[in-house]
């Protein structure tokens, strides 16, 4: 969006309200023309997607956009895609083609991104692997591999933060940073993670910070599980810049976040992925991450192995950029404009024929 604005393209941002506490200013979007839809997240993500779709349809009946751009696989993104499809508006999907090949993991995101990709006229895949998934599914949209604009945002945040030089060797007491919020980890997954963190904290050798998620249901569950454990520090939800700063200061991250799977390799911070499957296998292939699930024993064993084998930890701390070089935004902006120009030219030719 910022790149389109920079080159003079008029745009409008729709903040759906899925996370009411989301601060647009923290993401550098505070000055954009925007509409807040007040569609709060719901326990049923499909119902939330429909709330968003209906709200956007009402908006776009009044002001018709030339192109709708959705990013990712949230219920907000699906709502935007469905609204565009119903109104026959061109649709572009940023971060297209991610697949775990299991509709239940993650749910509902895998289902959502498959539907969004099938509806899209323009598909911006972050990696060659994601593009191959779209080819395999015979998605009909125009496909480009652009990198992920999340890496652009990461590098922009780093440029604004004070300089920080990582230690050549991890400190004696390893600093762990933990996030967990995925729907498939609610309940038993969060409980098993909490048990593992308590075990690790009491065993020693690690300092543990847990960043709570803006979703109040998840944050409340984590507070109930870990709030009385003195050796685990719970941190209120962080904005993007503060989260990047916390990540770069950690020795090891434990997370089920998709964004963290992209950012940790670029920062050179080892990551244990709290999932059984991932739609971002590139972070595993780059050597920066391990897929460990949320089983208590598996988590304790994985962390302990890296605490005891600092050479293995150091090997995971070599920065890599499997999700892009930080230039995805200008590529996406240029390709979107070129697509619109080609469409307009084809329409003029059809009218004059």
């Amino acid at each position: 969006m910022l790149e389109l604005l920079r080159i003079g393209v008029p745009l409008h941002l729709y903040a759906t309200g899925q996370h009411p506490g989301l601060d647009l200013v923290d993401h550098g979007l505070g000055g954009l023309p925007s509409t807040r839809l007040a569609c709060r997240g719901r326990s049923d993500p499909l119902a939330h997607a429909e709330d968003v779709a209906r709200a956007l349809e009402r908006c776009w009946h009044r002001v018709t956009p030339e192109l709708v751009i959705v990013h990712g696989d949230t219920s907000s993104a699906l709502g935007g895609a469905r609204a565009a499809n119903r109104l026959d508006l061109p649709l572009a999907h940023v971060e297209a083609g991610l697949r775990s090949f299991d509709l239940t993991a993650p749910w509902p995101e895998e289902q959502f991104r498959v539907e969004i990709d099938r509806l899209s006229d323009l598909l911006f895949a972050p990696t060659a692997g994601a593009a191959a998934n779209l080819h395999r599914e015979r998605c009909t949209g125009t496909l480009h591999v652009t990198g992920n604009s999340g890496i652009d945002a990461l590098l922009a945040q780093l440029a604004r933060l004070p300089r920080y030089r990582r230690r050549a060797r991890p400190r004696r007491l390893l600093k762990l940073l933990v996030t967990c919020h995925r729907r498939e980890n609610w309940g038993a997954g969060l409980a098993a993670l909490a048990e593992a963190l308590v075990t690790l904290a009491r065993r020693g050798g690690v300092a543990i910070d847990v960043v709570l998620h803006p979703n109040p249901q998840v944050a409340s569950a984590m507070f109930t599980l870990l709030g009385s454990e003195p050796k685990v520090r719970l941190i209120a939800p962080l904005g993007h810049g503060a989260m990047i700063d916390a990540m770069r200061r950690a020795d090891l991250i434990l997370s089920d976040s998709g964004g963290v799977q992209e950012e940790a390799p670029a920062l050179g911070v080892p990551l244990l992925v709290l999932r059984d499957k991932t739609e971002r296998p590139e972070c595993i292939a780059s050597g920066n991450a391990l897929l460990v699930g949320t089983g208590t024993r598996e988590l304790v064993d994985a962390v302990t192995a890296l605490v005891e084998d600092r050479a293995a930890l150091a090997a995971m701390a070599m920065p890599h950029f499997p999700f892009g070089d930080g230039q995805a935004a200008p590529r996406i902006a240029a390709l979107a404009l070129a697509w619109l120009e080609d469409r307009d030219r084809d329409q003029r030719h059809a009218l004059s024929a």
Side-chain angles (χ1 to χ4, degrees), residues 1 55 62 78 104 129 144 162 229 252 255 322 335-337 341:
M1 288 185 291
R62 296 191 297 270
L78 178 61
T104 68
H144 301 280
E229 176 51 53
L252 177 63
S255 180
L335 290 164
L337 288 179
E341 290 169 359

Side-chain angles (χ1 to χ4, degrees), residues 149-161 240 244 247 262-267 321:
S149 58
I151 300 301
D152 301 32
L154 168 68
L155 297 179
Q157 289 285 8
L158 288 174
R160 289 191 286 268
L161 290 170
H240 190 226
I244 295 302
M247 289 174 63
E262 297 166 356
E263 294 162 340
L267 291 170
F321 289 82

